[in-house]
Amino acid sequence: MQFKKLSDLDLAGKRVFIRADLNVPQDNNGAITDDTRIRASVPGIKLALDKGAAVMVTSHLGRPTEGDFKPEDSLAPVAARMSNILGQPVRLVQNWVDGGFEVKPGEVVLLENCRVNKGEKKNSPELAAKMAKLCDIYANDAFATAHRAEATTEALAQAAPVACAGPLLAAELEALGKALLSPERPLTAIVGGSKVSTKLTILDSLADKVDQLIVGGGIANTFLLASGLPIGKSLVEADLVEEARRIIAKMAARGASVPIPVDVVTAKEFSASATATVKAVADVDADDMILDVGPQTSARLCEQLEAARTIVWNGPLGVFEFDAFANGTKVLADAIATSSAMSLAGGGDTIAAIAKFGISDKVGYISTAGGAFLEFLEGKSLPAVEALGQRFSK
């Protein structure tokens, strides 16, 4: 898909409205506990400032009630942190939809929590029309919200004089497109997690694209059961066994595969202090819980990853939060880190695993987008991205 990029536009003297993702975690006192998203937004803001623009930035924070602003909904802590990172004042503007505030070239203001505005979540054209009057150029730099059709993500992209992608969103789309739409093959996807039901559409979509589909966590248990293997009292979705068989058959018909574990790490209870026992998968007892893949399986998966030219990773292979059951995911992470393949990783648990095993700088691209990342894997259309595509020639 083609779309305009903020980096390609003449911004001198222009009013630039940036929709960023500044939805940062906070403690009970409102202090920011992780400013990753703020730092990720800075390149787009600096780009506009350096090109002589007057910059407005907005974002959602938390789950506010439209039309009912509360102090805990405020972006004030974000404004303070952004000011420190940028090295210049960032003024917070409330009640901004109807204008009445000034921002000069070289200045940046933060527009208060956009989800407090009535009509935001319903993608109100009337709200978007008001916001469009505030700017000359609209830039979406919040891929994490691209799967939501809201006033600041979709309707404003349609209503603004010019609509474009900020550098963060453009980079995300480029990485996802390269990995899934025009990958260098073989293409291997790793999908882990507790339930097949939450990722069934992802598995089904990837089964049409990938050369190997590695499943992990509770998802792998359902595939083990579908293959006629014992899983004891492990987490499983027995009602989706036929779906797992269908996906295995779908892959096989294309000459692709779903590698099934040959050994696993079991425990009698779900606990960080539980005794870990490595077993051949055929030897799993009725009172066993499978909490990780075994070393033979890990070694086989590493061999397969060595042959891959593109790797997409979403989800751990086991309960990596417990050290006794983290080895499968650690070995996988290390294999991805040392691979020469283009690698793309995303999803909360995946990012946590990447951080735990210290490979952040060795993964080709790490998506922090959550829902938008998963919906892209599913092959779904992302409303905010579609809107930018429709505005490419307008």
Side-chain angles (χ1 to χ4, degrees):
M1 177 184 294
Q2 292 183 304
F3 48 85
K4 293 174 184 174
K5 296 181 181 180
L6 185 66
S7 57
D8 295 335
L9 302 180
D10 177 8
L11 308 181
K14 301 291 178 63
R15 300 170 300 160
V16 175
F17 185 114
I18 299 175
R19 174 48 159 108
D21 175 22
L22 307 172
N23 186 31
V24 292
Q26 298 171 281
D27 63 21
N28 292 333
N29 296 317
I32 295 169
T33 57
D34 182 352
D35 65 3
T36 300
R37 287 175 173 167
I38 299 174
R39 292 184 179 278
S41 74
V42 165
I45 297 169
K46 278 189 171 181
L47 170 67
L49 289 172
D50 291 346
K51 285 194 166 195
V55 183
M56 298 164 274
V57 185
T58 195
S59 171
H60 70 287
L61 179 68
R63 299 177 181 275
T65 301
E66 288 188 5
D68 184 20
F69 178 80
K70 296 182 176 63
E72 58 266 30
D73 300 327
S74 180
L75 290 174
V78 174
R81 184 66 59 87
M82 185 180 288
S83 178
N84 289 335
I85 296 170
L86 281 171
Q88 71 177 75
V90 176
R91 179 163 44 98
L92 182 66
V93 180
Q94 296 185 342
N95 304 315
W96 50 270
V97 170
D98 292 315
F101 63 91
E102 185 179 6
V103 55
K104 297 176 182 178
E107 291 183 343
V108 55
V109 298
L110 186 61
L111 308 179
E112 190 58 278
N113 197 329
C114 60
R115 283 197 184 155
V116 175
N117 299 325
K118 289 185 177 180
E120 169 66 16
K121 295 196 74 173
K122 290 186 177 180
N123 199 25
S124 165
E126 292 78 18
L127 175 60
K130 289 183 178 181
M131 293 189 290
K133 293 178 182 178
L134 302 175
C135 65
D136 302 303
I137 297 169
Y138 162 80
N140 190 333
D141 211 21
F143 184 76
T145 64
H147 60 309
R148 302 186 186 280
E150 298 181 345
T152 56
T153 63
E154 201 275 341
L156 180 53
Q158 300 285 9
V162 176
C164 66
L168 185 62
L169 184 138
E172 188 100 25
L173 290 175
E174 182 179 351
L176 286 166
K178 186 176 180 181
L180 291 170
L181 303 181
S182 56
E184 189 177 346
R185 293 186 178 274
L187 166 60
T188 296
I190 303 123
V191 180
S194 58
K195 295 183 177 182
V196 173
S197 56
T198 59
K199 295 187 178 178
L200 179 60
T201 50
I202 295 172
L203 293 166
D204 202 27
S205 176
L206 290 175
D208 290 323
K209 301 181 178 75
V210 304
D211 301 298
Q212 285 189 323
L213 180 58
I214 296 170
V215 291
I219 292 173
N221 296 335
T222 302
F223 278 78
L224 283 167
L225 192 61
S227 301
L229 294 164
I231 60 166
K233 60 178 183 179
S234 306
L235 177 67
V236 71
E237 290 178 285
D239 58 327
L240 290 177
V241 163
E242 287 305 317
E243 287 292 335
R245 287 178 180 149
R246 181 181 62 79
I247 289 170
I248 292 172
K250 187 178 186 181
M251 291 283 288
R254 294 176 46 241
S257 66
V258 182
I260 301 299
V262 294
D263 63 340
V264 291
V265 184
T266 66
K268 301 300 182 183
E269 62 180 15
F270 187 83
S271 167
S273 60
T275 300
T277 304
V278 177
K279 293 185 174 184
V281 71
D283 297 334
V284 172
D285 292 329
D287 62 344
D288 281 334
M289 299 177 69
I290 299 172
L291 300 182
D292 195 12
V293 296
Q296 289 185 51
T297 299
S298 295
R300 290 188 180 187
L301 295 180
C302 285
E303 289 177 5
Q304 291 160 0
L305 289 175
E306 284 179 9
R309 301 309 308 147
T310 305
I311 301 169
V312 178
W313 180 20
N314 175 244
L317 296 186
V319 187
F320 74 96
E321 298 90 344
F322 299 164
D323 288 344
F325 309 101
N327 191 63
T329 303
K330 182 182 186 304
V331 170
L332 175 84
D334 289 342
I336 292 172
T338 58
S339 172
S340 60
M342 186 273 178
S343 55
L344 170 68
D349 288 341
T350 312
I351 293 170
I354 287 171
K356 178 170 182 173
F357 302 125
I359 64 163
S360 297
D361 60 340
K362 296 176 182 177
V363 178
Y365 192 87
I366 300 172
S367 171
T368 59
F373 175 81
L374 295 178
E375 291 202 10
F376 195 100
L377 292 188
E378 290 178 44
K380 289 185 176 179
S381 171
L382 304 179
V385 176
E386 290 293 323
L388 294 181
Q390 291 165 14
R391 294 299 309 278
F392 175 67
S393 58
K394 298 179 183 178

